[in-house]
C-alpha cells in the first residue's frame, strides 16, 4: 500500500488532491485530526468511494480510551493501526477483540 499519512492528515481537501494525483491507495484516518467525527467519517467515506483503503489509527500521546476500536468496527474499517506495545494500545486491541466476540 502507498499510504497517505502526514500528506493527507485526515483532511478531505488533501485526500481529494492525492486521489486526483493518484498519489496513494491507502490513508491513515486519525479521528483527532479532522476536528469532528462527522468530518472524519466524510474522509473515511470519500476514501472508500475512491478505492482508497482507510486505516483507522491511534494518535500519539495515547490514553486508555478505546473509542477508536468502536469506530473501526462500526465503520467496518479494513485495517486498524494501534501499535504493538504499551497498555494504551493494548486496551484498544482488547476492546476490538471484545466487540468481535460479542457479535
Amino acid at each position: 500500500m502507498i499510504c497517505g499519512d502526514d500528506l493527507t492528515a485526515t483532511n478531505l481537501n488533501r485526500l481529494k488532491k492525492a486521489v486526483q494525483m493518484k498519489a496513494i491507495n491507502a490513508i491513515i484516518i486519525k479521528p483527532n485530526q479532522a476536528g469532528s467525527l462527522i468530518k472524519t467519517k466524510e474522509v473515511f467515506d470519500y476514501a472508500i468511494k475512491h478505492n482508497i483503503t482507510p486505516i483507522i489509527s491511534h494518535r500519539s500521546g495515547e490514553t486508555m480510551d478505546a473509542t477508536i476500536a468502536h469506530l473501526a468496527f462500526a465503520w467496518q474499517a479494513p485495517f486498524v493501526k494501534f501499535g504493538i506495545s504499551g497498555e494504551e494500545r493494548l486496551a484498544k486491541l482488547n476492546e476490538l477483540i471484545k466487540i468481535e466476540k460479542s457479535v
Side-chain angles (χ1 to χ4, degrees), residues 7-74:
L7 171 69
T8 53
T10 316
N11 180 296
L12 187 56
N13 291 330
R14 291 181 184 183
L15 174 58
K16 287 178 179 179
K17 186 172 183 176
V19 166
Q20 181 183 33
M21 295 173 64
K22 298 180 181 174
I24 62 173
N25 63 7
I27 181 174
I28 296 290
I29 303 285
K30 294 183 180 181
N32 67 305
Q33 287 182 328
S36 75
L37 286 179
I38 292 170
K39 288 182 181 180
T40 302
K41 185 68 162 86
E42 288 173 358
V43 174
F44 185 94
D45 290 344
Y46 188 89
I48 294 287
K49 182 177 179 182
H50 290 87
N51 296 315
I52 305 296
T53 302
I55 303 166
I56 299 285
S57 177
H58 65 89
R59 58 192 260 328
S60 56
E62 272 302 318
T63 67
M64 295 295 285
D65 180 41
T67 302
I68 195 168
H70 292 271
L71 292 176
F73 183 81

Side-chain angles (χ1 to χ4, degrees), residues 66-85:
T67 302
I68 195 168
H70 292 271
L71 292 176
F73 183 81
W75 296 350
Q76 293 296 288
F79 294 98
V80 294
K81 179 183 171 229
F82 295 154
I84 59 170
S85 65

